[in-house]
Amino acid sequence: MKLALSLAISAFWLGVLQWGWPGQLPALGPLFDFKSGVWQHKPFQLKSRPLPGLRAPVEVAFDAHGVPHLFAENEHDLFIAQGYVVATQRLFQMELYTRSTTGQVGELVGARGLPLDEFFVKFGMRRAERLTRDLILADPATRSTVDAYLLGVNAHIEDVQHNTSLKNIEYRLLEHTPVKQTAAMVSSMAKTMTYSLSGAASDLHLTRLQRQLSNAQILDLFPEFLPSEFEDVVFPQLKGPGSRPKETPALFDTFKSSIQHLPEFPMPPTYNGSNNWAVGPKKSTTGYSILANDTHLGLTLPNVWFEIQLSCPEFNVYGVGFANIPGIVNGFNVNVAWGPTNGTTDVLDYYEIRFADATSLRYQANGEWLDAELDKEIVSTKFGPSYTLEVPWTIWGPVVAREGNIGLVAHWTGHKPSNELSVLRKLYRSRSAKECLNIFENWQVPIQNFVCADSTSIGMGHFGRIPKRQVGSGRFVESPSSENAEYLA
């Protein structure tokens, strides 16, 4: 009896090791297979090789710290090489970032990824990603950059598909083979970082408190993040045309949410942000400008940043960027240095709307009835069947939750399409701090504080798209107006 039980238990665990436990534990047996498991893994070594699309040779050198330095005879070849080099170092990270906010994590890990997938699908990230992708590809300059970058990325993916010894440990553990990337890789990363840096809002939390405390108590516990007195501290000599009124409890008495069960949503880390500062040449002992930028984002392994130098006849830049996006985000060229920190401005509001009935897509907006657009999004899992999620869109944004004929709408600047890649490209050729700041005038999301410096001057600006609100708006779940559909760029 004991022997039979022992054999049964052993057989059970051997089966788990061989096939895993769907949705809970990956198959660990194949991972340690002597012929195809981790023992056959070979560290990647960059060797001279032809890459698709190259018009001339590209030189790649790694310094003592492992930082790649790329030298090309033209911009097109430079981005092909960047895509290839970055993919050799960060391929699994690139795929995970592509999937993380577009509802495709479950395809890698099974049911455990579904709560996150369903939230981002209902939050409208797929439409936001598609609109941004289309805008990037509509610009010939950014399209050519993305196309070249993808040639390099997909060249390494082809290497991995044909040589399993190059598979990352994560791919082996999940028994997954990487597939070729598209421009969605770039726009998905843009939306991932936009949500990470500007997806936090206290509206739902404060609305729950509003049912237990008075508005006066809430404002006492949670005062304005940037009160009107802030401008007196930073730039006392610069005054606007009039003082902004202070928030008062009476401003928040006009509407009370009737949603009984306000949902809990995933929130980005509250410590996401950075610090930067600059010293002008008149204040430095060397007589030159000094720029310091500390980008402390949430800890990841590997690091979210990728350090690199990109050099061609058109420009020569050094700095850090994201693995899924061609070029660099934070760095310098021969004339100018620039650095971003998170702007922390609240750009996410939640509105309560009324539908004609519990199943209708017809909703009230500014005294008239409109029909919501319906996106039907397919969600897939590794171990289960695919299914469809319906995402209604209003003029203010997607309906993220619904109780009968009452809907909760997310109004977020990140839902609008934007092409920050176009801004970054222009920075590489900037020649002065003033020109650098002028380029950032076209930055939309996420809101950032950019500091620029050249050898003789420094400057800083707060750039990005901000919801158009009146004082007393944007702190709780509220009823929308026609003005709320607009933004201040």
Side-chain angles (χ1 to χ4, degrees):
M1 183 65 180
K2 289 184 178 180
L3 178 61
L5 181 61
S6 297
L7 290 174
I9 292 174
S10 299
F12 170 78
W13 283 112
L14 284 173
V16 170
L17 286 172
Q18 181 64 31
W19 297 291
W21 193 268
Q24 301 295 325
L25 184 71
L28 299 178
L31 187 66
F32 297 105
D33 184 277
F34 284 100
K35 290 185 177 181
S36 60
V38 293
W39 314 111
Q40 298 301 318
H41 178 74
K42 297 178 181 178
F44 181 83
Q45 292 183 334
L46 193 66
K47 299 178 180 178
S48 179
R49 61 153 292 176
L51 290 177
L54 282 185
R55 300 166 183 168
V58 178
E59 181 180 351
V60 179
F62 288 84
D63 63 25
H65 301 289
V67 177
H69 301 258
L70 280 57
F71 304 90
E73 295 181 19
N74 59 78
E75 185 178 332
H76 172 78
D77 289 356
L78 185 65
F79 287 119
I80 293 178
Q82 186 193 10
Y84 183 77
V85 170
V86 174
T88 65
Q89 312 289 309
R90 302 286 186 87
L91 185 57
F92 182 77
Q93 181 190 44
M94 296 169 81
E95 181 164 348
L96 190 60
Y97 274 134
T98 301
R99 294 174 175 272
S100 62
T101 56
T102 53
Q104 295 174 294
V105 175
E107 295 174 8
L108 278 180
V109 302
R112 287 190 173 186
L114 288 182
L116 194 67
D117 286 349
E118 290 188 358
F119 164 72
F120 280 117
V121 169
K122 291 179 180 178
F123 191 74
M125 289 296 266
R126 287 190 177 177
R127 177 186 282 206
E129 178 273 319
R130 289 191 294 263
L131 292 173
T132 291
R133 177 201 62 199
D134 292 346
L135 190 63
I136 290 172
L137 296 181
D139 179 344
T142 50
R143 182 179 190 124
S144 65
T145 299
V146 170
D147 287 346
Y149 193 74
L150 288 172
L151 279 174
V153 172
N154 288 326
H156 178 64
I157 290 176
E158 284 187 5
D159 291 345
V160 175
Q161 290 173 339
H162 293 103
N163 185 355
T164 57
S165 68
L166 297 177
K167 264 192 177 183
N168 300 59
I169 184 68
E170 297 92 344
Y171 285 125
R172 294 175 184 275
L173 187 62
L174 295 171
E175 295 185 84
H176 179 76
T177 299
V179 296
K180 285 191 175 183
Q181 293 292 323
T182 67
M185 178 190 76
V186 178
S187 54
S188 296
M189 184 66 188
K191 291 306 169 186
T192 296
M193 291 312 301
T194 299
Y195 187 79
S196 177
L197 294 170
S198 65
S202 58
D203 306 39
L204 301 178
H205 302 302
L206 293 184
T207 301
R208 293 189 192 97
L209 280 178
Q210 204 175 29
R211 295 167 182 175
Q212 304 172 53
L213 304 174
S214 69
N215 288 338
Q217 290 172 316
I218 293 175
L219 294 183
D220 184 49
L221 290 170
F222 301 96
E224 293 180 83
F225 182 64
L226 293 178
S228 57
E229 293 82 3
F230 181 76
E231 63 186 31
D232 296 331
V233 178
V234 181
F235 295 117
Q237 73 278 19
L238 299 179
K239 288 289 185 179
S243 297
R244 181 170 60 85
K246 292 184 179 182
E247 289 184 344
T248 62
L251 290 173
F252 301 101
D253 288 334
T254 57
F255 179 82
K256 301 289 184 183
S257 173
S258 57
I259 298 177
Q260 296 300 308
H261 303 287
L262 289 167
E264 291 279 355
F265 291 143
M267 292 277 284
T270 55
Y271 49 79
N272 265 354
S274 306
N275 299 307
N276 61 14
W277 50 266
V279 175
K282 293 181 180 179
K283 299 292 185 179
S284 72
T285 57
T286 62
Y288 293 99
S289 301
I290 301 173
L291 185 150
N293 199 74
D294 164 29
T295 53
H296 50 265
L297 299 177
L299 294 177
T300 61
L301 186 66
N303 196 327
V304 67
W305 295 110
F306 190 93
E307 187 174 354
I308 195 167
Q309 179 185 0
L310 302 173
S311 180
C312 64
E314 292 84 2
F315 56 79
N316 182 11
V317 292
Y318 186 105
V320 295
F322 301 121
N324 293 45
I325 296 179
I328 65 169
V329 176
N330 178 7
F332 59 90
N333 60 27
V334 295
N335 298 304
V336 182
W338 62 90
T341 74
N342 199 24
T344 67
T345 302
D346 178 11
V347 295
L348 172 60
D349 295 325
Y350 286 98
Y351 300 143
E352 183 175 310
I353 65 169
R354 291 192 175 272
F355 289 95
D357 56 53
T359 59
S360 175
L361 290 176
R362 200 161 179 77
Y363 66 97
Q364 273 189 322
N366 310 318
E368 58 180 325
W369 288 92
L370 302 176
D371 291 318
E373 298 177 31
L374 191 64
D375 287 352
K376 294 185 177 182
E377 306 288 1
I378 297 175
V379 178
S380 302
T381 61
K382 186 174 183 179
F383 303 107
S386 301
Y387 58 97
T388 300
L389 283 180
E390 295 185 342
V391 185
W393 279 82
T394 70
I395 59 172
W396 301 289
V399 179
V400 292
R402 186 164 176 170
E403 284 184 358
N405 70 325
I406 301 174
L408 182 68
V409 173
H411 180 60
W412 183 51
T413 58
H415 287 139
K416 297 288 185 181
S418 57
N419 186 0
E420 280 67 42
L421 186 58
S422 175
V423 176
L424 295 174
R425 280 177 46 84
K426 294 173 183 176
L427 284 174
Y428 310 152
R429 298 170 173 82
S430 61
R431 297 180 176 275
S432 67
K434 184 176 181 180
E435 182 183 357
C436 175
L437 290 173
N438 287 338
I439 290 171
F440 282 121
E441 290 288 347
N442 293 313
W443 186 271
Q444 298 293 305
V445 293
I447 287 183
Q448 297 288 286
N449 299 311
F450 284 103
V451 61
C452 298
D454 58 33
S455 61
T456 61
S457 60
I458 61 174
M460 178 180 285
H462 187 72
F463 299 99
R465 184 186 292 140
I466 302 174
K468 192 173 183 180
R469 307 186 185 105
Q470 296 293 330
V471 175
S473 179
R475 296 269 261 155
F476 301 89
V477 175
E478 57 194 26
S479 178
S481 67
S482 59
E483 186 179 71
N484 292 137
E486 302 175 12
Y487 294 99
L488 297 172

